[in-house]
Amino acid sequence: MKKQIDKNIPVGTQALILSKFYYGVISKSLEDLDIERYFSILYFLSENNGCNQQCICNHLAIDKTAMVKVIDYLIKADYVKRAVNPDDRRQHFITLTKKGQKRTEEIVKSFNALDEEIFKSISKKDKSTFISVLSSLTDNLKVLPSNDLFFNYKKTLKKGKQKINSEL
């Protein structure tokens, strides 16, 4: 029996709830990796290896100040390298290291497996419609006036655990 969805919950709140559950499952499936919660960045680099930092920020809606700290963390963990563009020293290219490539394969498999699992009872047509509508909603929101929110990319805390101090 399917659960009745509370139609009084705004779509943004529903998306937040979906994200919380989705990243909780991803975090559990990849908890042996020492990269905190930067799975999406490495997943993005799996298809866009060698892009610049601004490209990552733009596609994943990450603040550029936060991105610098995240990339510094991933460099220390030996997942990525940062190289200065010889034609524009303000621009940095981000590439996966060998360790990063190997771990990113695991990350891609986990995301793909989770996507397959959550869409298992959804038709291909409905899945395609959902992804299309989600993309349209994002595009529609991008043109509206908004505050520039900063999301904290510190270590994800698990329920019942003490707050962990992080250098990020």
Side-chain angles (χ1 to χ4, degrees), residues 2-9 14:
K2 291 189 177 187
K3 255 176 103 171
Q4 184 74 17
I5 296 175
D6 186 347
K7 294 181 170 85
N8 294 324
I9 298 175
Q14 291 178 14

Side-chain angles (χ1 to χ4, degrees), residues 42-74:
L42 294 172
Y43 184 95
F44 182 79
L45 286 171
S46 73
E47 295 290 326
N48 302 281
N49 199 19
C51 69
N52 64 46
Q53 282 181 217
Q54 191 60 50
C55 177
I56 300 168
C57 291
N58 293 346
H59 282 86
L60 299 180
I62 298 173
D63 175 81
K64 63 183 176 181
T65 303
M67 179 55 69
V68 170
K69 292 176 182 177
V70 170
I71 296 299
D72 287 345
Y73 175 86
L74 292 172

Side-chain angles (χ1 to χ4, degrees), residues 73-95:
Y73 175 86
L74 292 172
I75 288 169
K76 284 181 188 175
D78 192 34
Y79 281 88
V80 301
K81 295 183 286 190
R82 178 189 292 134
V84 175
N85 180 349
D87 298 327
D88 181 354
R89 299 196 52 76
R90 297 169 295 173
Q91 190 177 68
H92 296 94
F93 296 118
I94 308 302
T95 55

Side-chain angles (χ1 to χ4, degrees), residues 92-110:
H92 296 94
F93 296 118
I94 308 302
T95 55
L96 293 166
T97 62
K98 287 186 181 194
K99 176 183 176 182
Q101 289 172 344
K102 182 179 178 195
R103 297 295 195 209
T104 298
E105 288 174 13
E106 295 174 53
I107 291 167
V108 168
K109 285 179 186 173
S110 288

